[in-house]
Amino acid sequence: IDFSRNKLVYAKGFLNTFGYSDEEVDLEMLIHNIHPEDVELVNRIGRASILFAIEQPHTPSSNILNLTYRWRKKDGNYAKILSQSVILRTAENGSMARSLVKLTDISFIDSSNHVFWDFRAKGLNKKEFKKHIYAPFKDLFTKRELDVIKLLKENIDNEEIAQKLHISKNTVTTHRKNIFRKSNCHNLPELMVYCQRHGFI
């Protein structure tokens, strides 16, 4: 990707893996083919890593972003892909000029609908970076609801949650109802996926 021209300048190997000829692939398509449920989070992570590289221009070549998400193949099905991005060239001011992005179909080892990411960069405060990515959701749940969610993840029932948090079983039930209402989830596995996707667990 050439950021000075905002253009994909080279693509290879898409036909065998995703069904597109290399000539069909452009920057807009790379973004447009991300699964609708994954695109917002993938874009937020991408933007945050680019902003970090701009704000910390001295060592951008050591920045590596690994992302897994679903990407639409030519036949309309979605593949789970691992996207690995590194900076190839920087401009005189230290900002990114060119980046290499490698997409690998990992559907054979991961068919989940989770977006996973790992950003490695010199001087990165991971806690602050994560906070920035998930900022739109930070006030969705109360602190106590987050405590309940963490215990639900451990597959603990309401009675044990009540004992651990020193609250009544009825209060736990109320927290659970509020958690499911706010997340628009209908069962525990769905809630765990939602919480993972939005950085709560």
Side-chain angles (χ1 to χ4, degrees):
I1 300 170
D2 185 332
F3 287 100
S4 64
R5 294 190 284 161
N6 199 29
K7 185 178 177 183
L8 181 69
V9 292
Y10 180 76
K12 183 177 179 182
F14 280 83
L15 186 62
N16 290 339
T17 308
F18 302 109
Y20 299 101
S21 71
D22 296 337
E23 293 74 28
E24 289 179 274
V25 181
D26 61 22
L27 191 54
E28 187 178 320
M29 175 209 226
L30 288 177
I31 296 165
H32 182 73
N33 279 23
I34 300 171
H35 193 284
E37 291 175 6
D38 298 350
V39 71
E40 182 187 355
L41 182 55
V42 169
N43 285 339
R44 265 203 320 268
I45 295 165
R47 276 193 304 271
S49 61
I50 289 169
L51 282 173
F52 179 84
I54 291 168
E55 291 167 3
Q56 306 284 332
H58 306 299
T59 57
S61 59
S62 65
N63 298 356
I64 300 169
L65 175 62
N66 295 307
L67 262 169
T68 67
Y69 54 89
R70 294 168 288 176
W71 198 76
R72 189 175 63 245
K73 300 192 292 186
K74 189 158 187 174
D75 66 8
N77 291 315
Y78 282 89
K80 187 65 174 282
I81 65 166
L82 168 62
S83 168
Q84 298 169 295
S85 305
V86 294
I87 297 170
L88 290 180
R89 189 179 304 151
T90 56
E92 285 183 18
N93 65 1
S95 64
M96 289 186 294
R98 282 197 174 198
S99 161
L100 174 66
V101 181
K102 180 181 177 185
L103 304 180
T104 307
D105 186 349
I106 59 166
S107 302
F108 65 99
I109 56 170
D110 182 3
S111 59
S112 72
N113 60 2
H114 296 298
V115 172
F116 292 108
W117 61 272
D118 178 45
F119 182 48
R120 297 176 194 175
K122 192 173 181 180
L124 177 71
N125 180 331
K126 281 205 172 191
K127 189 175 180 182
E128 287 301 312
F129 187 80
K130 186 176 178 183
K131 225 194 288 191
H132 178 72
I133 289 170
Y134 297 113
F137 308 100
K138 72 180 174 65
D139 296 323
L140 182 63
F141 298 118
T142 66
K143 183 184 181 313
R144 187 53 94 187
E145 287 167 351
L146 289 171
D147 292 338
V148 170
I149 288 168
K150 285 172 185 158
L151 293 171
L152 287 172
K153 185 184 177 209
E154 296 175 25
N155 213 16
I156 296 174
D157 64 23
N158 284 6
E159 193 168 324
E160 196 174 344
I161 291 172
Q163 290 171 0
K164 283 184 177 277
L165 297 180
H166 308 291
I167 56 179
S168 73
K169 191 176 170 184
N170 286 340
T171 302
V172 174
T173 302
T174 300
H175 285 315
R176 281 184 73 140
K177 283 180 185 173
N178 289 337
I179 289 165
F180 279 96
R181 177 182 52 78
K182 288 177 180 181
S183 63
N184 198 26
C185 293
H186 303 95
N187 54 52
L188 194 55
E190 192 178 326
L191 176 66
M192 291 301 103
V193 169
Y194 179 90
C195 288
Q196 187 279 331
R197 179 178 289 275
H198 295 94
F200 295 114
I201 55 174

